[in-house]
């Protein structure tokens, strides 16, 4: 620790960093923006038309990370940026100028954020260690419309695949075993007692597991909450996973989204449940390296 109480900012060589010439990092920056604009541009165009999308809006409304922020490129802890142009990154307090160039500096992590990083790491590690569970079959979305009137249903611009009494029967006849609090809290009041777990905010770290679609979607949330220390490539990878999961999540829901080109995964049938479980397993496998990379970012920061 330095005389002023701060941690010394080690050289690129000591930190095992790669120094990027201006041409190299500008190329990475442009590639990142091109990649994410395939997702942000359509969303912003719909917003300008006051048009809602029941599948993709979730990624920009529930996850409150603006499209402009998603488009911004940050190198992460592995790179140091050379050249005068790199000074543009100094507008963020997490960056520092050194003899080698500009880079993010873990010593700039403020104390209130340090507690948040520790919480994120603990949750990620607990989720890694817990066996995956594949028996929920997406019924959380059904529990969110259980015994609701047509006016109360969130996406009521689109029809349901069954009348309300049939949906109620499916919810009541199948075990509801959601382990994700941020899904459970959107259950209707009559549906909550039907869940195997009566979840609370305090119970999150004790139940979160990697077979859960929403736990894997939330990797995007943890990635952007660690920004700008998170490499933007990793944020985009987590966003892409969340987007793919959101499609399956809504295809397995009681909504009929065929008008938007989404075929239903009929989880009310044995074949539909098998298909849903296969998607769960694939997403769990895709999530693991992303979760591990996020833990590494947390470890570096802490």
């Amino acid at each position: 620790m330095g005389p002023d109480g701060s941690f010394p900012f080690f050289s690129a060589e000591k930190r095992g960093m790669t120094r990027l010439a201006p041409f190299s990092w500008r190329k990475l920056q442009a590639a990142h923006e091109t990649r994410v604009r395939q997702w942000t541009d359509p969303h912003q165009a719909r917003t300008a038309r006051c048009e809602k999308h029941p599948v993709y809006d979730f990624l920009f409304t529930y996850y409150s990370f603006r499209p402009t922020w998603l488009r911004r490129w940050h190198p992460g802890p592995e790179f140091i940026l050379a050249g005068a142009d790199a000074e543009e990154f100094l507008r963020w307090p997490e960056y520092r100028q050194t003899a080698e160039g500009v880079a993010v500096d873990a010593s700039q992590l403020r104390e209130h954020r340090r507690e948040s990083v520790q919480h994120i790491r603990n949750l990620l590690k607990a989720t890694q260690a817990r066996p995956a569970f594949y028996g929920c079959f997406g019924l959380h979305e059904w529990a969110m419309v259980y015994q609701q009137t047509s006016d109360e249903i969130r996406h009521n611009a689109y029809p349901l695949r069954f009348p309300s009494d049939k949906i109620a029967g499916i919810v009541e006849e199948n075990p509801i075993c959601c382990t994700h609090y941020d899904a459970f809290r959107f259950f209707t009041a009559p549906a909550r007692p039907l869940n195997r777990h009566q979840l609370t905010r305090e119970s999150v770290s004790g139940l979160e597991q990697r077979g859960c679609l929403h736990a894997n979607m939330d990797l995007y949330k943890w990635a952007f909450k660690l920004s700008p220390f998170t490499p933007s490539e990793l944020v985009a990878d987590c966003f892409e996973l969340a987007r793919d999961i959101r499609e399956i999540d809504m295809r397995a829901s009681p909504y009929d989204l065929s008008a938007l080109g989404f075929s239903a995964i009929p989880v009310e049938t044995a074949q539909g449940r098998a298909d849903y479980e296969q998607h769960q397993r694939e997403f769990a496998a895709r999530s693991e390296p992303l979760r591990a990379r996020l833990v590494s970012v947390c470890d570096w920061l802490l």
Side-chain angles (χ1 to χ4, degrees):
M1 183 175 290
D4 62 350
S6 64
F7 289 93
F9 188 75
F10 298 117
S11 69
E13 182 179 356
K14 287 182 180 178
R15 291 178 60 196
M17 299 172 68
T18 300
R19 188 172 184 267
L20 296 178
F23 171 79
S24 298
W25 66 258
R26 282 295 190 194
K27 187 175 180 181
L28 292 173
Q29 185 180 50
H32 169 75
E33 181 166 355
T34 298
R35 179 187 182 190
V36 301
R37 287 190 69 166
Q38 67 178 306
W39 308 315
T40 61
D41 284 1
H43 172 76
Q44 292 179 304
R46 287 193 301 270
T47 300
R49 298 192 300 266
C50 298
E51 180 182 312
K52 294 183 178 181
H53 197 291
V55 179
Y56 298 134
D57 282 353
F58 180 84
L59 299 163
F60 298 99
T61 53
Y62 177 79
Y63 293 117
S64 54
F65 199 60
R66 297 177 185 175
T68 52
W69 296 345
L70 182 59
R71 287 204 303 267
R72 289 173 184 164
W73 180 75
H74 294 285
E78 297 179 3
F79 297 112
I80 190 164
L81 310 179
D85 286 354
E87 292 180 4
E88 69 185 55
F89 289 87
L90 295 176
R91 59 181 157 158
W92 287 286
E94 296 87 355
Y95 283 83
R96 186 179 291 186
Q97 178 75 58
T98 72
E100 295 95 341
V102 173
V104 288
D105 180 5
S107 71
Q108 302 305 305
L109 183 70
R110 297 178 181 177
E111 189 57 37
H112 75 279
R113 287 197 71 188
R114 182 174 293 276
E115 294 177 5
S116 175
V117 172
Q118 186 66 64
H119 166 75
I120 292 169
R121 184 191 184 280
N122 291 346
L123 181 60
L124 293 171
K125 291 294 288 184
T127 306
Q128 273 184 327
R130 190 165 293 116
F133 174 69
Y134 300 111
C136 71
F137 304 124
L139 289 171
H140 55 276
E141 287 290 339
W142 299 69
M144 292 178 191
V145 301
Y146 178 68
Q147 293 188 6
Q148 281 191 331
T149 67
S150 58
D151 291 337
E152 294 173 316
I153 293 171
R154 181 177 293 111
H155 303 297
N156 57 15
Y158 295 87
L160 296 173
R161 295 198 292 115
F162 299 105
S164 58
D165 59 339
K166 174 68 171 176
I167 289 174
I170 292 170
V171 171
E172 292 163 3
E173 293 163 13
N174 291 276
I176 310 297
C177 38
C178 179
T179 58
H180 190 74
Y181 172 74
D182 280 326
F184 175 76
R185 68 190 178 97
F186 289 106
F187 282 23
T188 64
R192 288 175 192 159
L194 303 178
N195 196 46
R196 179 185 298 174
H197 308 284
Q198 294 306 295
L199 305 174
T200 64
R201 180 67 68 190
E202 293 69 32
S203 69
V204 169
S205 62
L207 288 170
E208 198 83 311
Q209 47 85 25
R210 50 199 163 83
C212 171
L213 263 61
H214 284 263
N216 293 328
M217 288 181 74
D218 277 355
L219 293 178
Y220 171 57
K221 176 172 66 175
W222 307 131
F224 71 68
K225 282 186 176 293
L226 295 170
S227 185
F229 300 107
T230 323
S232 288
E233 175 198 4
L234 177 54
V235 178
D237 287 346
C238 291
F239 181 93
E240 186 168 24
L241 175 63
R243 190 177 188 274
D244 291 347
I245 291 175
R246 176 62 177 173
E247 290 183 1
I248 297 303
D249 196 33
M250 292 303 289
R251 285 177 59 199
S253 77
Y255 293 99
D256 180 356
L257 301 176
S258 56
L260 295 175
F262 296 103
S263 60
I265 298 175
V267 294
E268 69 278 6
T269 69
Q271 184 58 56
R273 290 192 290 274
D275 291 345
Y276 184 85
E277 180 179 339
Q278 181 59 39
H279 286 295
Q280 277 185 298
R281 291 181 180 276
E282 291 169 359
F283 290 137
R286 283 177 60 185
S287 74
E288 281 308 282
L290 302 181
R291 188 173 285 107
R293 288 167 67 189
L294 289 171
V295 169
S296 294
V297 173
C298 292
D299 287 342
W300 173 74
L301 284 169
L302 295 172

